[in-house]
Amino acid sequence: MGQEDAIVIKNVGKKFKVFLDKGQSFKERMLFKNRCKYEERNVLKDISFTVKKGEAVGLVGHNGCGKSTLLKLMTRILYPDKGSIEMKGRVSSLIELGAGFHPDMSGRENIYTNASIFGLTKKEIDARLEDIIKFSELEAFIDNPVRTYSSGMYMRLAFSVAINVDADILLIDEILAVGDTNFQAKCFNRLKEIKKQGTTIVIVSHSLGQIEQICDHSIWIDGGLIREYGSPYDVHPMYLEYMGSHLNFGGSTSEKKSDNRWGSMAAEVSSVQMLDKDGNEQTSFVVGAPVKIRVTYELKENVPDAVFGIGIFRADGVHCYGTNTRIDKMPDFEITKSGYFEVDIEKLNLLPSEYILDVSIETGDGIPVDFYKNAKRFITYSPVSDIGVLRLDHKWETNC
Amino acid sequence: MKELYNYRQMIFSLVKKDLRGRYKGSVLGFLWTFINPLLQLIVYTLVFTTILPVADIDKYYLHLFVALIPWIFFSSSLTGGSGSVIAHKDLIKKIYFPRAVIPISYVTSCFVNMLLCFIVVFAVVILFGNGINFVAFLYLAPIMLVEYILALGVALISSAVTVYFRDLEHILGIITMAWTYLTPIMYPIEQITENPAVPEWFKSLYMLNPMTPVVQAYRDILYHARVPELSTLLSAFLLGITCLLAGCIIFSKLQRRFAEEL
């Protein structure tokens, strides 16, 4: 382990025995031996990487690829079957918030209990108490029992404790969805501050945008192996490309429509493309870049009154934008042959995050012809770190 | 070890939570800490002086009481400790901390309970006892420590094994019952050692019981008001340390897969 390294992971593998029906007691194990059958699942096969001090790394991958298991190995909740994991310094994890909270004790007492689980002594907690309470914005309620808190307040308190532990290494699993948007932004900024102070951070997230804003490197895990390692801007487009190809056209035929698609299929969307200004297909865009969405459809039956639409959702579910040709006061279209429609977006002002594009063809009465959710995934990135949902075109002017 | 020391605040707060939560909601609340052993004392005294009288003992209730309180501490550490890790499974599955914190804090809370009961013991000894020997009282702290070590060793083993083998929790009920009678609590040790009807092999096995010298020492100090024999103290200490070492080794081996088994 080098001087500069905070985390060194070498050839780590982890198998789980997945019991189909496990006997818990002696009798059950003796009598029903065949019930103890299990499958061995090789969740992590051979993972090696190093994280330098003060670096932030994001782990991405589809559900069940083993990234959360890897994080649990790093926190030492689980132990690897092979390989070694070395961590330097105090490790804190934002995996389970509010561990050990007792509903009948006051917020203040719970801060002590919860922080003690992170290995803080009373003295250390005393020193941080003010910061924790202030960060949680719960000054007025801090001496009330926690059971009187709303779930948002509960999470705020839990997050405040966890983030004020002052760890050398911070492990985060998909929890930046705490409280209202204000508090989320606050957490996120706090995370950036922590990083600036030199804390090493490892994040597991499905929100690629968050990883891009904080992390120096992104590790794409697939099937228990590292598939790509590099800058988020290099790794994420590859990842999205892969996800897209497995999500959209993964063996679906015209007879069997997946859950994310419905309608009469009189006109069926055959491809959805997002093109940059040179007409090349892309899955990642700089914020503010021009984008052309082209939807090609194949006609099975004539549609006399078609309405075309698009919708854009952020990966966390926020509906960012949606419109259709009728909203935009265009006459309904009569489709008599296969063709395409295009939406030209002059400036894609959506701030860095991961987005999902829905496209739709409907009849004039609003009956879906092909309503296609999750048709495409894309990310936006930006060298500017403004915050919010979208960038408003703006200029500054002062008289100083 | 060093890590456990860093987590002392966690042990402290778990002990506090446990003591506070134990009698929550009951009318008499914390008083049960005292009432429960006193009721047991009354039942046993009634049984063993009137119904099934054991050897003629002066102040049988005191003879019993000074052994019963330490025994309750030990047996509750053993049986209660076995479920302690399982009771905290949500914590174990989701967050890292040295797992030994859990049995340690459970045993410690039982220990604090015993200390509280000792207030009553002292009161009884002062009021009705066979005199007080201050030199002998000095030996009370080390013998409590030895018992703590012993109880911790046993709790480490039972808590870890129960995770893999849930039957143990139920088996332990009967084991503690047998153990109660195999330890000189309700009768004087002479009943075994100086009884010609008891075969020799049984006597040597009997002396291997780590709780025998512990209880014997308590009784020497508090009932007989005399300094316990060095051999008693030494064997109690050695058995305690052996038990703790075995507990540590078994626990550290088994705790690696806790999160998966729970």
Side-chain angles (χ1 to χ4, degrees):
Chain A
M1 191 172 202
Q3 210 34 260
E4 294 289 291
D5 299 338
I7 305 172
V8 178
I9 294 185
K10 262 189 209 141
N11 304 101
V12 162
K14 180 74 188 167
K15 278 184 197 143
F16 281 119
K17 287 177 181 171
V18 182
F19 286 88
L20 304 171
D21 177 14
K22 188 184 180 186
Q24 288 280 10
S25 65
F26 186 67
K27 180 202 85 182
E28 283 173 32
R29 284 192 201 171
M30 284 298 112
L31 284 178
F32 313 110
K33 273 201 174 138
N34 54 342
R35 274 201 199 163
C36 293
K37 272 184 190 152
Y38 58 83
E39 294 172 333
E40 218 159 62
R41 205 165 292 167
N42 224 342
V43 180
L44 294 175
K45 286 171 192 151
D46 186 17
I47 302 269
S48 307
F49 63 89
T50 307
V51 182
K52 291 215 174 355
K53 235 178 222 164
E55 248 183 6
V57 168
L59 301 176
V60 298
H62 60 88
N63 287 332
C65 72
K67 56 189 190 305
S68 288
T69 304
L70 183 57
L71 208 64
K72 281 187 176 165
L73 288 170
M74 288 158 83
T75 53
R76 289 177 293 171
I77 293 173
L78 300 173
Y79 286 79
D81 292 327
K82 65 179 178 90
S84 68
I85 297 177
E86 281 182 81
M87 315 274 284
K88 210 189 266 173
R90 174 185 268 159
V91 181
S92 167
S93 59
L94 299 185
I95 291 180
E96 182 59 23
L97 290 175
F101 266 24
H102 195 292
D104 284 328
M105 296 213 267
S106 74
R108 193 186 298 273
E109 286 171 301
N110 270 308
I111 291 177
Y112 279 95
T113 318
N114 190 226
S116 73
I117 294 175
F118 288 107
L120 262 59
T121 59
K122 185 157 187 306
K123 231 189 204 165
E124 290 172 305
I125 302 171
D126 285 336
R128 288 167 175 78
L129 192 65
E130 281 307 306
D131 286 342
I132 293 174
I133 297 174
K134 206 171 145 212
F135 190 84
S136 69
E137 301 168 10
L138 289 169
E139 288 93 341
F141 310 98
I142 201 67
D143 289 312
N144 296 356
V146 166
R147 71 183 136 79
T148 63
Y149 286 18
S150 72
S151 57
M153 287 157 75
Y154 186 93
M155 292 309 280
R156 254 154 57 196
L157 184 64
F159 190 88
S160 306
V161 177
I163 208 151
N164 279 301
V165 169
D166 286 350
D168 302 305
I169 300 173
L170 190 62
L171 306 171
I172 304 172
D173 190 358
E174 206 70 76
I175 42 85
L176 289 172
V178 180
D180 54 23
T181 32
N182 279 340
F183 193 73
Q184 276 182 34
K186 195 171 160 183
C187 293
F188 205 67
N189 289 335
R190 170 81 190 155
L191 217 54
K192 285 183 181 167
E193 253 173 60
I194 287 178
K195 197 199 157 198
K196 235 179 244 164
Q197 289 162 10
T199 306
T200 312
I201 301 177
V202 180
I203 302 180
V204 165
S205 182
H206 285 290
S207 163
L208 300 181
Q210 285 179 345
I211 293 184
E212 275 152 34
Q213 283 187 56
I214 286 197
C215 298
D216 310 299
H217 296 286
S218 208
I219 298 174
W220 172 14
I221 295 175
D222 185 30
L225 294 166
I226 293 180
R227 182 136 166 182
E228 291 294 340
Y229 175 94
S231 140
Y233 299 121
D234 298 332
V235 174
H236 292 179
M238 285 188 265
Y239 171 60
L240 284 174
E241 193 74 27
Y242 170 84
M243 288 297 276
S245 64
H246 279 65
L247 181 75
N248 300 346
F249 309 110
S252 76
T253 58
S254 55
E255 294 94 55
K256 197 179 168 222
K257 287 298 157 219
S258 41
D259 292 341
N260 60 350
R261 231 174 146 173
W262 57 86
S264 64
M265 297 297 158
E268 192 183 330
V269 173
S270 57
S271 87
V272 179
Q273 291 170 303
M274 296 185 72
L275 309 171
D276 64 10
K277 62 180 191 305
D278 303 322
N280 298 321
E281 199 175 348
Q282 295 288 356
T283 47
S284 59
F285 301 91
V286 178
V287 174
V291 174
K292 182 181 282 185
I293 299 168
R294 177 186 288 167
V295 180
T296 318
Y297 54 85
E298 274 171 35
L299 195 73
K300 305 260 163 67
E301 273 171 52
N302 287 356
V303 181
D305 52 351
V307 176
F308 301 119
I310 58 159
I312 295 176
F313 290 81
R314 203 163 64 189
D316 60 4
V318 175
H319 195 168
C320 298
Y321 191 69
T323 190
N324 64 28
T325 48
R326 186 170 269 192
I327 292 171
D328 286 341
K329 308 232 160 41
M330 292 167 77
D332 298 347
F333 298 91
E334 189 180 353
I335 330 182
T336 52
K337 60 177 179 2
S338 298
Y340 66 89
F341 68 87
E342 285 182 348
V343 188
D344 255 315
I345 297 169
E346 203 179 316
K347 282 179 174 179
L348 188 67
N349 273 339
L350 296 164
L351 285 186
S353 185
E354 188 185 355
Y355 294 93
I356 295 162
L357 174 68
D358 296 356
V359 300
S360 68
I361 305 174
E362 291 175 305
T363 66
D365 323 319
I367 298 166
V369 174
D370 186 356
F371 202 104
Y372 190 175
K373 288 194 80 72
N374 289 332
K376 204 82 191 165
R377 276 165 176 264
F378 64 96
I379 55 169
T380 57
Y381 58 93
S382 165
V384 188
S385 53
D386 41 357
I387 55 169
V389 180
L390 50 84
R391 178 174 299 162
L392 302 177
D393 283 332
H394 61 280
K395 277 193 195 105
W396 294 94
E397 214 171 278
T398 70
N399 64 348
C400 47
Chain B
M1 267 321 269
K2 187 171 164 271
E3 200 175 16
L4 272 177
Y5 181 71
N6 287 336
Y7 276 81
R8 62 193 179 279
Q9 180 64 28
M10 183 180 181
I11 297 176
F12 180 71
S13 67
L14 277 179
V15 170
K16 205 167 108 186
K17 205 162 116 180
D18 193 50
L19 287 175
R20 240 203 228 184
R22 189 169 292 187
Y23 300 109
K24 195 180 162 322
S26 57
V27 181
L28 294 174
F30 208 74
L31 279 179
W32 277 110
T33 309
F34 308 112
I35 298 171
N36 211 355
L38 282 174
L39 290 177
Q40 281 192 49
L41 181 72
I42 292 170
V43 172
Y44 284 134
T45 308
L46 194 70
V47 170
F48 292 107
T49 56
T50 336
I51 305 175
L52 285 172
V54 287
D56 186 29
I57 294 167
D58 181 37
K59 294 178 189 157
Y60 179 79
Y61 63 93
L62 186 66
H63 187 270
L64 173 64
F65 198 37
V66 297
L68 187 64
I69 297 296
W71 173 255
I72 290 175
F73 160 55
F74 179 79
S75 67
S76 58
S77 299
L78 176 61
T79 50
S82 76
S84 63
V85 168
I86 295 173
H88 287 92
K89 67 175 173 194
D90 289 330
L91 226 49
I92 287 176
K93 278 200 285 198
K94 283 164 185 164
I95 198 161
Y96 173 79
F97 54 88
R99 303 320 192 192
V101 160
I102 288 175
I104 289 175
S105 45
Y106 188 83
V107 171
T108 308
S109 83
C110 291
F111 187 69
V112 172
N113 245 330
M114 178 179 84
L115 291 181
L116 290 171
C117 288
F118 257 86
I119 298 172
V120 183
V121 173
F122 285 142
V124 173
V125 168
I126 290 167
L127 290 177
F128 311 108
N130 304 322
I132 294 162
N133 181 340
F134 286 105
V135 183
F137 263 64
L138 291 178
Y139 287 87
L140 210 50
I143 198 67
M144 279 178 173
L145 188 71
V146 167
E147 195 192 3
Y148 179 81
I149 289 172
L150 187 65
L152 183 60
V154 174
L156 281 171
I157 297 171
S158 74
S159 64
V161 174
T162 307
V163 173
Y164 297 87
F165 182 58
R166 306 274 166 115
D167 295 43
L168 191 66
E169 243 181 315
H170 310 294
I171 297 171
L172 276 175
I174 199 77
I175 289 180
T176 354
M177 193 190 90
W179 206 332
T180 313
Y181 289 102
L182 290 173
T183 311
I185 297 164
M186 296 159 197
Y187 51 86
I189 192 168
E190 289 77 22
Q191 195 95 351
I192 302 291
T193 50
E194 282 160 30
N195 187 347
V198 177
E200 278 306 312
W201 61 267
F202 188 85
K203 282 181 193 168
S204 42
L205 268 183
Y206 188 85
M207 293 313 288
L208 276 180
N209 174 2
M211 273 308 279
T212 302
V214 171
V215 164
Q216 207 41 40
Y218 275 113
R219 188 166 281 153
D220 278 341
I221 298 166
L222 294 165
Y223 180 78
H224 299 295
R226 67 180 180 217
V227 175
E229 280 171 50
L230 196 66
S231 64
T232 316
L233 286 175
L234 199 67
S235 69
F237 178 72
L238 286 178
L239 285 165
I241 290 289
T242 317
C243 194
L244 183 64
L245 276 180
C248 287
I249 292 166
I250 292 176
F251 193 85
S252 67
K253 281 255 182 327
L254 292 180
Q255 58 99 13
R256 294 172 71 93
R257 295 178 68 86
F258 273 1
E260 288 160 64
E261 288 288 332
L262 285 168

